[in-house]
Amino acid sequence: MITVSMNNADEQALNSAIGRMLSDATVTAQTLPQCPEIALWLVEPTAMQRPFSADEIRTIQDNPAYWAFCWASGQVLAREILANPHWVAGKKVMDFGAGSGVVAVACVLAGAREVIACDIDPDALLASAANARLNGVDYRLHGDLFAFDEPLDLLIAADVLYDRANLPLLDIFRAKANAVLVADSRIKDFDFPPYQALGRHESFTVPDLDELDEFRWVTLYRA
């Protein structure tokens, strides 16, 4: 277990951000069940367990705070990176679609030389920065993969293929980095050479959204 550093300013800023999704939602610092070395500012579970009005559902859909959850693929990747530090040790790594920044945190803890958390959502970058401070690590933030022109040893992406329209990203990842590590629970019959499966792991979102069983199985792919 690590010692986390609570920051009231971070909590207040993230509470303001998540309020745009759901007015009575708040964040709390939560340890990941499958990766207890890491804690994250995540939505307080009870806020998501009550019935929502039609207006609230529309607001949630218009302002989804993806960064306020640690999705199954992110939890699996963080755990596996810490269990296999040679994947990232001494390397320059990008966590694409960083969300909460969980994978970026894991990469720093596993000994990466430099880590970039990349996300187009400004609130996700806010959360990634707050979660870096919470875990006592440091990494860079970037908002646009297409504008990033530095060499990368490894690009990591979790749960970014939820829409098949995103599949062309797989080729873009390979063009941006020497190696790519993808975690996905959505695409069936994944067949995109040279990506090869590394393993399949059962997990869940934190807080648990009681998703369909098929989405609780995460497969890791490497190119």
Side-chain angles (χ1 to χ4, degrees):
M1 297 290 290
I2 62 169
T3 300
V4 299
S5 177
M6 305 293 283
N7 185 311
N8 289 336
D10 285 338
E11 184 176 8
Q12 292 171 6
L14 294 177
N15 279 337
S16 177
I18 201 171
R20 292 191 283 273
M21 180 185 77
L22 188 63
S23 60
D24 62 346
T26 58
V27 299
T28 56
Q30 301 173 39
T31 300
L32 301 183
Q34 293 184 322
C35 191
E37 298 91 339
I38 296 176
L40 299 172
W41 290 109
L42 301 173
V43 63
E44 206 285 319
T46 57
M48 306 306 297
Q49 294 169 352
R50 64 171 177 79
F52 300 127
S53 69
D55 285 343
E56 286 176 326
I57 292 173
R58 283 191 291 270
T59 302
I60 291 171
Q61 292 172 338
D62 290 341
N63 302 277
Y66 295 121
W67 54 267
F69 300 84
C70 181
W71 302 93
S73 291
Q75 185 169 207
V76 165
L77 266 178
R79 183 186 66 195
E80 293 303 303
I81 287 168
L82 292 178
N84 299 277
H86 60 280
W87 288 357
V88 302
K91 297 179 180 180
K92 184 174 181 178
V93 182
M94 174 178 282
D95 174 14
F96 173 77
S100 66
V102 60
V103 173
V105 171
C107 287
V108 176
L109 294 177
R113 172 172 54 87
E114 184 176 2
V115 178
I116 301 99
C118 180
D119 204 295
I120 61 172
D121 180 0
D123 286 343
L125 295 180
L126 182 71
S128 291
N131 286 322
R133 288 186 286 270
L134 184 65
N135 290 276
V137 302
D138 186 41
Y139 44 71
R140 292 166 55 192
L141 304 175
H142 200 278
D144 185 358
L145 173 66
F146 298 95
F148 190 87
D149 61 359
E150 303 172 28
L152 291 167
D153 297 310
L154 178 65
L155 187 150
I156 302 176
D159 272 332
V160 300
L161 304 177
Y162 49 84
D163 186 331
R164 294 192 73 88
N166 290 349
L167 288 174
L169 285 171
L170 293 172
D171 291 329
I172 294 170
F173 294 160
R174 291 181 56 225
K176 289 286 187 178
N178 294 334
V180 183
L181 183 61
V182 172
D184 180 71
S185 62
R186 306 286 168 167
I187 299 296
K188 297 180 180 179
D189 303 319
F190 190 106
D191 184 19
F192 301 98
Y195 288 87
Q196 296 183 332
L198 291 181
R200 190 166 180 257
H201 307 266
E202 186 174 11
S203 189
F204 48 88
T205 297
V206 183
D208 196 345
L209 296 175
D210 196 26
E211 295 176 289
L212 296 175
D213 287 346
E214 64 181 295
F215 298 140
R216 297 171 77 93
W217 286 95
V218 176
T219 303
L220 301 185
Y221 303 93
R222 188 177 179 91

